[in-house]
Amino acid sequence: MRYRTLPRLAAIAAICLSPLAASLPLLAAEPKINNFAVADAVTSVQLCGNRNSGSNKSAQPYRVVLGEQNGQSVLFVQWMNQPEGAGSWRGVAAHTQGFAEINDDKAGLTLQNLRCTAQGKGIRITANVVGGPKTTKRRQMRLDVGPALEKYEITFTPALK
């Protein structure tokens, strides 16, 4: 039984890290806001919403990835697709979006109580925010993403500046 566990863990790790490994050459050319220095930085992953809401196509959810790097939170949203001919659902990251307002090295923000809800074909992410300028203030973050690539709206209450 012990010998079966290691290959299963290796297979799970390969599945989880394959999108990361496939995108490593591309990530080197992207700004820092769109990548982690190490995969161990990931603290939570959630599937949320469906870009094909109301259609008969296969599910295309968003994957919300929260991590910690250099003592602050980093947040990414991935548009997931189902490979053609896959018998069971195996999501593949088709696009990854980072957020400069959060992931910037100088932002110094920590996100807590992260929640994601479907909003039509897009998603809404909310969180409590600690840190940043005027750290004595407590903040809330609301981030609306999708369904269009690279389109998002982020608000902090009270504002960061």
Side-chain angles (χ1 to χ4, degrees):
M1 195 67 163
R2 276 190 313 162
Y3 299 108
R4 289 187 190 175
T5 305
L6 185 58
R8 285 182 183 168
L9 289 174
I12 291 170
I15 290 169
C16 292
L17 296 176
S18 62
L20 177 65
S23 63
L24 283 178
L26 297 174
L27 291 177
E30 292 183 22
K32 275 184 143 181
I33 63 168
N34 283 332
N35 65 62
F36 287 119
V38 293
D40 290 345
V42 175
T43 57
S44 75
V45 177
Q46 301 177 42
L47 289 178
C48 182
N50 182 3
R51 298 187 327 271
N52 285 330
S53 171
S55 74
N56 59 1
K57 294 182 183 178
S58 64
Q60 291 184 319
Y62 298 89
R63 180 164 60 186
V64 179
V65 181
L66 179 64
E68 186 178 313
Q69 186 168 293
N70 301 325
Q72 72 175 38
S73 292
V74 285
L75 180 67
F76 301 94
V77 172
Q78 295 180 312
W79 281 247
M80 303 300 289
N81 287 335
Q82 166 81 3
E84 291 292 323
S88 60
W89 197 87
R90 296 187 187 272
V92 175
H95 179 75
T96 300
Q97 173 71 49
F99 306 97
E101 299 87 344
I102 300 165
N103 299 355
D104 180 25
D105 285 343
K106 296 176 183 91
L109 301 177
T110 300
L111 302 180
Q112 300 172 338
N113 300 321
L114 187 80
R115 294 168 300 284
C116 180
T117 55
Q119 299 286 317
K121 291 186 177 187
I123 58 172
R124 174 168 287 167
I125 301 168
T126 57
N128 299 328
V129 181
V130 178
K134 301 179 185 173
T135 56
T136 58
K137 290 187 179 181
R138 301 192 115 194
R139 292 187 176 87
Q140 298 292 315
M141 179 203 72
R142 187 184 81 210
L143 173 61
D144 293 322
V145 180
L149 299 178
E150 304 294 327
K151 300 290 182 186
Y152 68 92
E153 182 181 334
I154 189 168
T155 54
F156 293 94
T157 307
L160 284 176
K161 296 180 182 181

